[in-house]
Amino acid sequence: MDVFQEIGEHPSIIKTVELHTSGEPTRIIVSGFPKLEGETLLEKRRYTSENPATDAVRKWLMLEPRGHEGMYGAILVQDTELTLSGEADIGVLFCHNEGYSTMCGHATIALGRFLVDTHDSEVFPRRLLLQVQKDDDGQTFTVLRLHAPCGVVTVKVPTTLESKSDATKPVRFQSVTCFVSSPKQGVTVEVPLEMAWPKLIEQNKRQIRIDISYGGAFYALVSSAELGFTSLRGSNSEFKELAEAARILRILLNQNPQARRSFVHPNEPDIGFLYGITVIDSSILRNGVSEQDEKTVTWICFFADEQIDRSPTGSCVSAHVPLAVDQTQLRIGEWCTYQSFMSVQFSGNAFRARAVEQTEMGYVVEIEGFAHYTGTANFVPPQKMIDAMGSGFALKLPS
Ligand SMILES: O=C(O)[C@H]1NCC[C@@H]1O
């Protein structure tokens, strides 16, 4: 078709492959993203976030009309300092509605599938070096070392005899060392009356206890009960109130000196910021009876600029497992199931995770989940002087 051909031959075309992991999209940008200056992956991340010309490309790929309020991206970086030294196979920069994150579990699961499936040497020059292996159960898999901004993430992708990813089996990854960064008693945040949400005022509550933990990015973890909500499954207005509570908490945490100390990364200043606020459902419904269950966790994660993760948030899972082990809710080697407020409504979309080892710095955590293809796309940039909205906009409903 002529229009397909014309768009396909545009000199500034961006080609993407699209997947979802438990409902959360990953737009994998395989070609056409502008060249990123910088020696290291973190320098490239800084360059693109500070450079209006490259950041404009993120905006038009993530926001409307090409994206939406929940869009998530993964920009492939073929050469990084760790691919050149032989410590990684390929690099990636993660992006969202506000900027660039340091780790993303759901996108890692999606990338695992795509990077095994592609044999295009321009997209993945070191693909040829990956080998199909067999584990003790005779299961065939491919191991891939992904250089993410937080470090090297090892991804194990079940692979068919035709060298394709096996969609029927979960992709598993081990992230960088994960650890609890707040003190044992957590961080207490005081909510001033003028910022308190209705549920807090009704309960005459002003102080909220929060844990902060690192899973390649820093997360604040708080229970719904602590915020005044019995569960995450409330009415629409309760849901809006919960999102507002998370927005307010982010402001307060960023102002709180004790919390700020918990967002400091031991080696890398660029990683030291609060990425997400995750509200853990204080109750789960089983056989119609509400009860506590330490081995299944259901939550909602608000990250970046009030973006809501549809998936159970792999990097937050990596952050939560050390907390659960430290608080003796989970033993090393024991699996825990993680559901998001969305994944819990559809079977086969939970993540599973366990701590495999305790190290001097924290824990090695293993996470698994499923990703599925939704399509491919060719995107063209907005036409200068003609298409102002095409540069990207966010539609937010008034509260
Ligand atoms: O799975 C994750 O880790 C993520 N999903 C969107 C927000 C986080 O980066």
Side-chain angles (χ1 to χ4, degrees):
M1 216 249 268
D2 49 358
V3 175
F4 270 82
Q5 192 172 343
E6 208 171 298
I7 287 186
E9 288 168 359
H10 193 285
S12 302
I13 195 163
I14 293 209
K15 289 185 177 287
T16 67
V17 173
E18 317 263 328
L19 293 97
H20 83 90
T21 310
S22 309
E24 179 73 358
T26 304
R27 173 160 288 169
I28 303 178
I29 297 137
V30 294
S31 68
F33 201 83
K35 183 173 166 12
L36 299 174
E37 301 295 339
E39 290 289 306
T40 66
L41 186 64
L42 282 170
E43 281 169 13
K44 289 180 197 295
R45 176 176 174 271
R46 208 175 310 139
Y47 171 84
T48 187
S49 54
E50 289 170 0
N51 182 316
T54 54
D55 197 44
V57 181
R58 172 193 64 81
K59 282 191 188 134
W60 60 254
L61 282 170
M62 293 297 105
L63 305 180
E64 295 188 51
R66 296 172 189 78
H68 56 79
E69 59 182 9
M71 183 47 77
Y72 203 94
I75 305 161
L76 293 180
V77 183
Q78 279 76 15
D79 291 320
T80 74
E81 73 281 19
L82 296 186
T83 63
L84 296 173
S85 68
E87 292 161 81
D89 300 306
I90 192 162
V92 64
L93 289 177
F94 300 116
C95 61
H96 45 66
N97 69 357
E98 190 185 42
Y100 304 83
S101 61
T102 55
M103 175 55 194
C104 179
H106 92 269
T108 296
I109 292 168
L111 283 162
R113 286 208 59 197
F114 169 68
L115 291 169
V116 163
D117 289 339
T118 185
H119 288 73
D120 182 334
S121 59
E122 275 182 36
V123 171
F124 187 7
R126 293 167 187 83
R127 171 66 183 87
L128 271 178
L129 302 176
L130 305 185
Q131 283 175 358
V132 180
Q133 305 172 37
K134 243 186 198 173
D135 64 17
D136 296 344
D137 306 331
Q139 159 85 63
T140 47
F141 63 90
T142 307
V143 173
L144 164 80
R145 297 161 307 161
L146 190 64
H147 184 188
C150 63
V152 177
V153 176
T154 307
V155 194
K156 187 175 167 185
V157 186
T159 308
T160 65
L161 296 174
E162 292 78 38
S163 253
K164 292 278 172 203
S165 66
D166 182 348
T168 65
K169 302 197 172 70
V171 172
R172 189 179 282 189
F173 69 91
Q174 277 187 6
S175 193
V176 293
T177 303
C178 304
F179 54 88
V180 180
S181 57
S182 54
K184 209 170 179 190
Q185 69 280 12
V187 166
T188 302
V189 169
E190 183 85 29
V191 185
L193 184 58
E194 65 280 10
M195 291 177 93
W197 46 95
K199 287 250 177 337
L200 219 54
I201 296 173
E202 270 163 34
Q203 294 171 29
N204 202 18
K205 193 169 160 55
R206 288 291 170 278
Q207 291 194 331
I208 295 175
R209 184 199 174 284
I210 296 166
D211 292 300
I212 298 167
S213 197
Y214 177 75
F218 285 96
Y219 284 90
L221 293 128
V222 60
S223 75
S224 56
E226 194 61 23
L227 300 182
F229 297 79
T230 28
S231 85
L232 302 180
R233 297 177 195 82
S235 61
N236 284 351
S237 66
E238 278 185 328
F239 192 81
K240 271 195 186 160
E241 191 182 337
L242 188 69
E244 178 62 5
R247 191 187 69 78
I248 291 167
L249 264 193
R250 181 183 289 276
I251 298 170
L252 296 174
L253 282 163
N254 278 324
Q255 289 169 352
N256 182 304
Q258 199 188 19
R260 287 169 70 97
R261 280 196 291 279
S262 306
F263 308 142
V264 176
H265 188 270
N267 316 313
E268 190 39 71
D270 280 7
I271 296 179
F273 63 94
L274 174 63
Y275 178 45
I277 309 244
T278 298
V279 184
I280 303 175
D281 201 330
S282 304
S283 63
I284 62 159
L285 276 182
R286 178 169 292 177
N287 302 327
V289 183
S290 178
E291 59 179 46
Q292 296 292 328
D293 180 347
E294 292 178 335
K295 303 298 177 315
T296 301
V297 175
T298 303
W299 63 30
I300 180 167
C301 172
F302 301 91
F303 67 99
D305 182 15
E306 297 171 46
Q307 201 164 328
I308 297 175
D309 197 345
R310 280 70 172 155
S311 87
T313 317
S315 49
C316 187
V317 168
S318 320
H320 183 264
V321 167
L323 191 65
V325 175
D326 283 358
Q327 293 178 349
T328 68
Q329 292 163 11
L330 203 63
R331 287 190 298 272
I332 295 205
E334 193 173 24
W335 288 99
C336 182
T337 299
Y338 288 88
Q339 295 278 13
S340 73
F341 74 111
M342 280 306 296
S343 72
V344 75
Q345 300 174 43
F346 302 88
S347 67
N349 283 282
F351 287 179
R352 284 203 322 153
R354 62 178 178 180
V356 288
E357 191 189 337
Q358 184 165 19
T359 65
E360 214 178 302
M361 294 292 294
Y363 294 89
V364 178
V365 180
E366 202 162 69
I367 296 117
E368 60 178 39
F370 294 86
H372 303 284
Y373 287 96
T374 56
T376 58
N378 285 338
F379 289 107
V380 288
Q383 264 189 291
K384 281 201 184 80
M385 318 294 283
I386 297 178
D387 181 14
M389 288 189 91
S391 305
F393 63 89
L395 176 67
K396 287 203 175 158
L397 294 176
S399 46

